[in-house]
Amino acid sequence: MSKKLPQRVKDNVEKCTEAALAAVEVYNKPGKRFRTAQYLVLIVIAWTALFHAIFYKTGKRPWYRRRSSGSGNAIRYEKIDGDPKHWDLSKCINEYYGSNNPAERKNLEFLIGLRNKIEHRHLPELDASLYGECQAALQNLEDLLVQEFGQKYALLDQLAVSLQFSRSTPSEKRKAAQTLATTSAKKVSDYIEKFRGNLPSAVLSSMKYSFSVFLVPKVANRENAADVAVEFFRVDEKSEEELKRLERLNVLIKEKHIPIANLNLYKAGKVVPKVNEAIPHRFTMNTHTDAWKYFKVRPIYGSKKPEQTVSKYCVYDSPHKDYLYTQAWIDKLKVTFSDPIKYEQITGRKPT
């Protein structure tokens, strides 16, 4: 920026970048430990400093006001050891976004809640399932940093892709996930699934909420030997033909998102009575079949790709060649089939 930043703004921008780089450093160090916990502490500091810098730049004091006991109009602020008590990240989010709820906000709200849940727990098994939200938080921070203070504050030149990719199979991931069912991770995993389950599909699939990528081996020839080995590009800058090619690749290599463990998953026979208890109309197995067909949450019987489900509501249990349904699906059915108009629309029958 051509205009010199006030010292207070500059200090917070510097604190933001240093904390963000430290967060990346602790996350990328190899070793079996709960890297996410350490990352969260530092990325929260980075985001808080960034918001403080933005507020100071616009002339707003990010300080907690003190309840006034007098009749005067003077604004008084809370103090800690003589210094103003600054807003925490939750307060900053509310002040910055107001009534807007973009994916970036939901990402931060998720991480704040997660930090509070894992503060006193050691759960390295959860690291792999939280990468997307952690990466999105870092990229969103850089986007806002550049937007507010200019390209010279971008973190890109100081970061590199971590050399820690694993080719572990889905079955091994499931085994690790199943160990969480009998540990102190239950409350944390419940929080994660509930938060994700309550998000609108547009937010859940947004790269601003959770950054997800597929690594496709890139074959280099001698002519292009100096090219970078890992390349990221913007989807909106690609031709229609290139997008179709990427979509085909996506279908070929995509691994369906499976909830952290086969916890709170139900067979159809268990779903039906749970819905029946909660709605004023009769709900049968036939009604349930009508529902999953209508909402297209899973393939029809005999499909060659049975695993292609809407994983928020249904997952394919490969060993038993059966489908399991989530609590989010049950909740959706309760709301949907309580409405007689929707009941008839989905089933073609009047409710009884």
Side-chain angles (χ1 to χ4, degrees):
M1 296 178 67
S2 56
K3 187 177 179 181
K4 188 175 180 181
L5 294 174
Q7 189 60 43
R8 186 173 274 170
V9 176
K10 187 177 179 181
D11 289 345
N12 276 282
V13 170
E14 184 177 339
K15 180 179 179 181
C16 166
T17 56
E18 291 299 321
L21 293 173
V24 174
E25 182 180 3
V26 299
Y27 193 91
N28 285 340
K29 282 184 179 178
K32 186 177 181 181
R33 70 198 187 293
F34 197 14
R35 68 186 72 239
T36 306
Q38 300 172 73
Y39 173 87
L40 287 179
V41 171
L42 291 164
I43 203 67
V44 164
I45 292 174
W47 268 102
T48 306
L50 175 55
F51 280 128
H52 288 174
I54 293 170
F55 293 140
Y56 279 129
K57 187 183 75 166
T58 58
K60 180 184 286 188
R61 293 177 175 177
W63 305 343
Y64 284 102
R65 292 189 180 188
R66 192 173 68 194
R67 291 183 180 178
S68 178
S69 56
S71 57
N73 294 323
I75 298 175
R76 300 185 182 277
Y77 297 95
E78 292 185 38
K79 291 190 175 181
I80 300 177
D81 296 330
D83 294 322
K85 181 181 178 182
H86 285 73
W87 292 340
D88 62 12
L89 183 54
S90 294
K91 175 68 172 173
C92 289
I93 291 171
N94 291 333
E95 291 291 330
Y96 184 81
Y97 290 111
S99 59
N100 298 320
N101 286 290
E104 297 95 316
R105 177 177 187 161
K106 290 302 178 185
N107 171 269
L108 288 175
E109 290 175 347
F110 171 78
L111 294 183
I112 291 170
L114 181 62
R115 180 201 59 184
N116 296 339
K117 288 285 184 185
I118 65 177
E119 212 165 15
H120 305 294
R121 295 180 174 93
H122 177 68
L123 308 171
E125 297 89 349
L126 285 171
D127 281 329
S129 67
L130 298 170
Y131 168 82
E133 281 96 347
C134 290
Q135 180 65 42
L138 179 66
Q139 294 188 182
N140 294 341
L141 180 131
E142 183 181 42
D143 288 344
L144 186 56
L145 185 62
V146 170
Q147 174 188 314
E148 293 286 345
F149 299 102
Q151 188 63 39
K152 77 173 186 177
Y153 290 102
L155 304 173
L156 182 64
D157 291 340
Q158 303 175 66
L159 299 174
V161 176
S162 173
L163 299 177
Q164 296 176 34
F165 298 119
S166 170
R167 291 186 291 179
S168 59
T169 64
S171 61
E172 288 169 336
K173 292 179 184 177
R174 292 193 191 99
K175 287 178 184 177
Q178 288 166 0
T179 65
L180 296 171
T182 56
T183 70
S184 61
K186 183 69 166 66
K187 289 183 179 179
V188 181
S189 60
D190 284 350
Y191 164 78
I192 294 170
E193 291 303 313
K194 185 176 180 180
F195 192 98
R196 289 172 175 167
N198 289 331
L199 290 174
S201 58
V203 172
L204 191 61
S205 60
S206 171
M207 297 284 268
K208 295 289 186 180
Y209 172 74
S210 179
F211 182 83
S212 301
V213 296
F214 299 104
L215 295 178
V216 181
K218 179 181 176 183
V219 181
N221 53 37
R222 291 187 177 276
E223 182 182 353
N224 298 319
D227 288 351
V228 292
V230 179
E231 185 177 356
F232 293 93
F233 52 80
R234 294 177 61 88
V235 172
D236 55 6
E237 294 176 353
K238 291 298 171 181
S239 66
E240 186 175 346
E241 182 180 348
E242 180 68 6
L243 290 177
K244 286 181 179 179
R245 187 183 74 84
L246 291 172
E247 188 175 347
R248 288 196 297 270
L249 279 173
N250 184 44
V251 172
L252 286 171
I253 66 177
K254 183 176 182 182
E255 176 190 333
K256 299 299 292 182
H257 170 73
I258 304 298
I260 291 174
N262 269 7
L263 306 173
N264 300 325
L265 294 179
Y266 307 92
K267 289 188 176 183
K270 296 291 185 182
V271 171
V272 171
K274 285 182 176 291
V275 178
N276 249 323
E277 292 170 1
I279 67 173
H281 313 121
R282 188 163 177 255
F283 190 89
T284 66
M285 285 292 287
N286 285 338
T287 317
H288 184 256
T289 300
D290 291 334
W292 64 251
K293 286 182 177 179
Y294 180 85
F295 291 110
K296 299 178 180 179
V297 300
R298 46 156 284 194
I300 61 173
Y301 293 105
S303 169
K304 293 182 179 180
K305 297 180 179 179
E307 71 284 352
Q308 290 189 346
T309 65
V310 177
S311 56
K312 177 181 176 181
Y313 298 125
C314 175
V315 295
Y316 182 63
D317 186 3
S318 183
H320 300 98
K321 300 187 185 310
D322 197 3
Y323 290 94
L324 300 174
Y325 300 89
T326 66
Q327 184 60 47
W329 173 243
I330 295 173
D331 294 340
K332 181 179 178 68
L333 294 178
K334 288 177 181 179
V335 173
T336 302
F337 284 90
S338 292
D339 184 340
I341 296 176
K342 290 182 179 177
Y343 189 111
E344 186 174 358
Q345 179 183 343
I346 293 170
T347 66
R349 303 181 296 275
K350 290 186 178 297
T352 57

